[in-house]
Amino acid sequence: MPRIEANGRTLEARRGETLLETLRRGGIRVPTLCHYEGLPPTGACRLCVVEVDGLPNLVPACSYPVVEGLKVHTHSARAVNARRTIVELLLSNHPDDCLYCARHGNCRLQDLSEELGVRARRLPGTRRHLPRDVSSPAIVRDPDKCVLCGRCVRACQEVQGVAAIDMTGRGSGARVDTAFGEGLNVSSCVNCGQCVMVCPTGALTERSHLDLVEGALRDPALTVVAQVAPAVSVSLAELFGEKPGRDVDGALYALLRRLGFSRVFDTAFAADLTIMEEASELVRRLRDGGPLPMFTSCSPGWVKFVETFYPERIAHLSTCKSPQQMLGAVIKAHFAARAGLEPERVFSVAIMPCTAKKFEAQREEMLEGKLADVDAVLTTRELADLVRRRGLRLGDLAPEPADMPFGRRSGAGKLFGASGGVMEAAIRTAHHLVTGGELADLKVEAVRGLEGVKEARVRLGDLELGVAVVSGLGNARRLLQEIDAGRRDLHFVEVMSCPGGCIGGGGQPIGADPAALGARLQALYRIDGAETVRTAHANPAVRQLYAEFLGEPLGPRSHELLHTHYDARTVLR
Amino acid sequence: MNGPVRSVAEILAAHPDRGREHLIPLLQEVQEAQGFVSREAVAELGAHLGLPSSRIYGVATFYNQFRFQPLGRYHVQVCRGTACHVKGSQGVFQAIKRYLQLEAGQTARDGLFSLEVVACLGACGLAPLICVNGEFHGGVDADSAVKILRRCRREAESA
């Protein structure tokens, strides 16, 4: 165990760790900017520089390997002065428009300037006035606000294996950009929003649909309906200062009614619907011989990833639309008729933990010659913004139920919010489809948890299935490479684009505690455990929808409304 | 520039080693053969080396030498070396940019001119210096440099 001395205190270091890790465990806070938990250090921003006795230069703690006997001064005049100058330089060409910035109040640059006592613009710099990239339906890039920390580049390349963006140019002309500086919408970007999650400033934000939704809510000619994804109810409270893991399900429906939504539906209902279709599709593929493994299709980032990087695997994707799009479709096709509304006058809003859902809602196949299934998508963050715009608060509201006919869900549907949830829900129902009976234990432990890759062998009567659950597209790419290399033991693969699944989605609270993901996950498990109906096929609302309207899973009406197709994408990748 | 243009596939075939350290030499060969680094070339290089296009573009844009558009009929190089700088090449460069309506590295839409900034042309005695299609023009100022380019335009129009 190496020992070091930091600010006069002796700290026990662990072999192989960085100086920053030792200092943090010892309770010594060194400010960082380019550092991000879970991403490899680059030492790019130099904010974490500290003074080490015997070394002529300051060293970046984030990438300096700790060795026996270091004498470190983290807050010497020289170190603090260097840090302050770095922040002053970053601010020198930064647009002074905090008051208009989406990240006002949740900005690393603001925090640092506060923390280091920067109170005047000492270094006037040249502004660049680069054009914003507004080409993407999901993500907006504002290069003027970029501090070149490279966190987005690392998230995109190393976590997601997408690499739509990289550092380009040099020196004062350096910027984060796509290949050939083309817009995000024509790049290999899959809209997952993990770049937005790690951006310390307002350089990366979601494309806001807030004004669109507010306009619809104020339009007397429209009936505005909402659906809420499973992950939102266990995350929203964090944006109102509560600790992670609180479920605000009922209060959320009450809130949406106060905001003016005429009906509030539960996307977890549509998750059950998805499972009816997808489990049936899986059983059919198992009987007809493929193509296997079947890949889930509820994560729109993953779908675009396959279309972009593995077009030869498109046939493996389930043809099921995602729950968002399924619910959108039955809202306009069934609910509207039942309620005596013209579908053109129904404005359908999806509230999602996701930025890629904005992209999915406007995919061409979802619009071809018909009404959009979903008219606008708000992220969890945007919902919180909307609530604040209306002067409402989450805490004050008594819980209310969601509206029928799409307001009942099973515990299985709620599990969709976490990596492994679709798999667990599908196994419960596929078991029923194959054997006619129920699993003795509905909990499928092997596919639970936050690990990026989970695998299991599952028995459905006489059938034994190989299943894999991956989250994070980098993990998905590695699995696809194994399959390409000849791996044949898998029948069903769940992929969620974002690490941990939708609870870690690109539309979720930014800057959350790393432990928040686990708390959200446990909240979903608790909800499932407490439900009386825990399988999709036992959901009475789903049964009723099939009896009244859809017919049977994979039937003609399902095929028309609930299934879709995919196309290879020719972009620079 | 004699004979048929070597294709990227031919260049790659001559480099079976797929280590990423070959990226820069390969970019240079591609540009040498084709005059610039095209989107298609980047895609092929990426597939060969297992590198994303964004990474290749990022590396290539770090260096001034790589171009992403074909050369113009008149390729204008403006020397921004130390001697030329001292003798006022910044003003020459600005005047040329204004006249051509181009930034360094760009080619005009009509394909007539392309503009490049070079660090030193090795003829410091002639500073400040521009070079058009390999022909050196020394001791220029903003006006005389633009005059040279006007002459090129007239020549192209009368041809």
Side-chain angles (χ1 to χ4, degrees):
Chain A
M1 283 289 215
R3 283 156 174 270
I4 65 163
E5 190 190 302
N7 304 344
R9 281 171 50 202
T10 303
L11 298 181
E12 292 270 348
R14 290 178 191 155
R15 213 168 295 283
E17 73 181 357
T18 63
L19 183 50
L20 183 70
E21 288 167 318
T22 312
L23 292 170
R24 285 200 169 162
R25 269 191 308 104
I28 297 177
R29 254 192 102 254
V30 179
T32 55
L33 177 58
C34 70
H35 176 82
Y36 196 83
E37 204 71 44
L39 295 175
T42 57
C45 75
R46 322 303 283 184
L47 258 169
C48 64
V49 287
V50 295
E51 206 167 351
V52 176
D53 281 359
L55 292 179
N57 294 323
L58 298 172
V59 301
C62 73
S63 53
Y64 196 79
V66 74
V67 284
E68 175 68 36
L70 287 180
K71 276 199 173 140
V72 182
H73 311 277
T74 62
H75 286 72
S76 68
R78 194 172 158 219
V80 169
N81 191 37
R83 274 178 220 143
R84 186 181 296 131
T85 307
I86 289 165
V87 172
E88 285 176 324
L89 283 165
L90 289 174
L91 289 171
S92 72
N93 67 352
H94 194 82
D96 269 341
D97 65 350
C98 291
L99 290 174
Y100 308 98
C101 182
R103 291 290 298 276
H104 187 40
N106 183 13
C107 168
R108 195 69 197 115
L109 203 52
Q110 284 182 342
D111 294 348
L112 285 167
S113 120
E114 169 97 33
E115 185 177 332
L116 292 162
V118 178
R119 279 288 169 262
R121 181 178 287 279
R122 190 165 63 91
L123 308 167
T126 312
R127 307 273 175 80
R128 294 206 282 179
H129 301 294
L130 295 165
R132 292 194 312 157
D133 178 0
V134 295
S135 66
S136 160
I139 295 164
V140 176
R141 298 190 307 135
D142 185 348
D144 284 351
K145 291 181 182 168
C146 176
V147 294
L148 299 173
C149 67
R151 293 190 340 189
C152 54
V153 171
R154 279 176 282 158
C156 192
Q157 294 188 351
E158 286 159 36
V159 179
Q160 297 298 62
V162 171
I165 47 173
D166 205 340
M167 288 290 173
T168 67
R170 180 175 56 180
S172 62
R175 58 184 293 191
V176 172
D177 214 337
T178 56
F180 288 86
E182 294 168 350
L184 266 190
N185 70 325
V186 292
S187 76
S188 57
C189 170
V190 300
N191 305 300
C192 71
Q194 288 301 307
C195 56
V196 177
M197 297 301 286
V198 299
C199 183
T201 71
L204 286 160
T205 50
E206 73 260 331
R207 174 184 280 278
S208 174
H209 287 182
L210 269 181
D211 291 341
L212 190 65
V213 170
E214 282 220 287
L217 286 169
R218 295 204 160 102
D219 186 341
L222 294 176
T223 302
V224 186
V225 303
Q227 58 166 303
V228 190
V232 176
S233 76
V234 297
S235 317
L236 184 70
E238 291 169 45
L239 290 167
F240 293 92
E242 295 191 42
K243 70 176 194 322
R246 194 185 144 206
D247 179 35
V248 293
D249 201 40
L252 182 48
Y253 299 127
L255 189 65
L256 290 167
R257 291 197 180 100
R258 301 293 186 285
L259 287 169
F261 290 94
S262 306
R263 301 286 198 290
V264 290
F265 299 129
D266 188 347
T267 310
F269 160 84
D272 285 337
L273 191 57
T274 304
I275 284 302
M276 295 303 289
E277 296 290 328
E278 197 161 347
S280 305
E281 186 185 356
L282 176 64
V283 170
R284 186 162 82 183
R285 285 190 193 221
L286 289 168
R287 290 201 177 125
D288 299 353
L292 292 168
M294 184 171 89
F295 299 148
T296 57
S297 58
C298 9
S299 180
W302 156 243
V303 169
K304 188 166 185 243
F305 183 87
V306 174
E307 291 176 317
T308 304
F309 296 99
Y310 289 88
E312 67 283 3
R313 296 280 175 198
I314 283 177
H316 293 254
L317 281 170
S318 161
T319 61
C320 290
K321 287 183 183 175
S322 71
Q324 165 181 294
Q325 296 300 117
M326 282 198 184
L327 188 49
V330 293
I331 284 171
K332 293 213 177 164
H334 181 58
F335 158 76
R338 247 179 62 140
L341 298 164
E342 292 170 58
E344 294 79 11
R345 298 282 176 87
V346 174
F347 190 89
S348 185
V349 179
I351 294 156
M352 294 284 143
C354 182
T355 47
K357 289 283 168 191
K358 291 173 186 272
F359 158 78
E360 184 184 40
Q362 55 85 68
R363 283 180 63 107
E364 269 176 39
E365 333 73 72
M366 304 286 177
L367 302 171
E368 280 163 1
K370 55 187 162 109
L371 280 177
D373 290 338
V374 171
D375 297 291
V377 176
L378 297 180
T379 61
T380 311
R381 297 188 292 270
E382 284 175 284
L383 175 62
D385 288 343
L386 183 61
V387 170
R388 286 192 203 99
R389 278 192 190 184
R390 296 293 183 83
L392 292 169
R393 281 173 44 176
L394 190 59
D396 310 343
L397 298 167
E400 295 175 11
D403 283 306
M404 295 309 287
F406 312 132
R408 279 279 332 245
R409 59 145 194 259
S410 75
K414 193 71 182 172
L415 287 180
F416 265 57
S419 160
V422 178
M423 180 61 72
E424 186 162 345
I427 289 171
R428 291 177 189 177
T429 291
H431 183 272
H432 176 75
L433 289 177
V434 171
T435 67
E438 301 296 336
L439 284 170
D441 184 6
L442 288 173
K443 186 171 163 188
V444 187
E445 193 62 52
V447 298
R448 292 195 167 197
L450 287 174
E451 296 77 36
V453 183
K454 295 166 277 190
E455 296 195 9
R457 306 291 300 176
V458 180
R459 286 213 75 84
L460 307 176
D462 309 333
L463 292 171
E464 194 190 65
L465 299 190
V467 302
V469 171
V470 295
S471 67
L473 291 171
N475 292 326
R477 190 189 274 277
R478 281 183 283 278
L479 185 69
L480 283 165
Q481 284 164 349
E482 287 175 24
I483 292 171
D484 277 351
R487 197 170 164 190
R488 292 282 174 272
D489 62 325
L490 294 173
H491 300 91
F492 189 30
V493 177
E494 177 204 299
V495 180
M496 292 296 150
S497 302
C498 297
C502 306
I503 47 174
Q508 289 281 71
I510 289 173
D513 188 290
L517 217 53
R520 295 172 198 161
L521 182 77
Q522 293 308 325
L524 288 176
Y525 292 154
R526 275 198 305 276
I527 295 166
D528 169 53
E531 287 282 353
T532 45
V533 175
R534 292 183 65 194
T535 59
H537 53 275
N539 181 338
V542 169
R543 290 176 171 212
Q544 193 186 345
L545 183 64
Y546 277 107
E548 268 177 20
F549 181 63
L550 288 171
E552 53 179 3
L554 308 182
R557 194 161 249 167
S558 288
H559 181 78
E560 179 199 340
L561 288 173
L562 308 183
H563 290 257
T564 184
H565 58 92
Y566 314 103
D567 284 305
R569 289 177 188 269
T570 47
V571 296
L572 273 180
R573 46 187 203 178
Chain B
M1 295 250 188
N2 296 321
V5 175
R6 268 176 93 204
S7 72
V8 178
E10 285 172 293
I11 293 169
L12 294 180
H15 293 270
D17 188 350
R18 290 163 183 245
R20 54 181 58 189
E21 67 275 16
H22 300 297
L23 174 59
I24 291 171
L26 280 170
L27 282 166
Q28 285 170 322
E29 266 192 62
V30 166
Q31 176 154 301
E32 174 78 13
Q34 310 200 326
F36 72 112
V37 179
S38 65
R39 289 174 95 247
E40 295 70 26
V42 166
E44 285 181 70
L45 279 174
H48 184 74
L49 299 175
L51 289 171
S53 302
S54 62
R55 170 67 60 81
I56 296 178
Y57 183 74
V59 169
T61 52
F62 185 87
Y63 301 97
N64 275 333
Q65 61 176 295
F66 294 115
R67 314 175 40 78
F68 306 98
Q69 291 175 305
L71 291 181
R73 181 161 160 194
Y74 295 97
H75 182 53
V76 182
Q77 293 171 296
V78 181
C79 183
R80 291 282 291 123
T82 312
C84 286
H85 177 73
V86 170
K87 300 281 272 180
S89 67
Q90 175 70 1
V92 173
F93 179 50
Q94 294 303 332
I96 290 176
K97 281 209 302 190
R98 248 193 326 273
Y99 174 68
L100 296 179
Q101 293 288 303
L102 292 178
E103 292 295 324
Q106 289 182 338
T107 300
R109 290 200 175 175
D110 61 6
L112 197 56
F113 288 103
S114 50
L115 180 60
E116 185 186 4
V117 169
V118 290
C120 183
L121 285 164
C124 307
L126 302 176
L129 179 75
I130 68 168
C131 174
V132 181
N133 288 354
E135 193 179 326
F136 282 21
H137 302 269
V140 292
D141 59 22
D143 289 343
S144 67
V146 169
K147 234 177 241 165
I148 293 163
L149 302 181
R150 281 217 181 89
R151 205 158 57 228
C152 294
R153 192 183 290 279
R154 273 201 305 278
E155 184 183 283
E157 278 163 3
S158 61

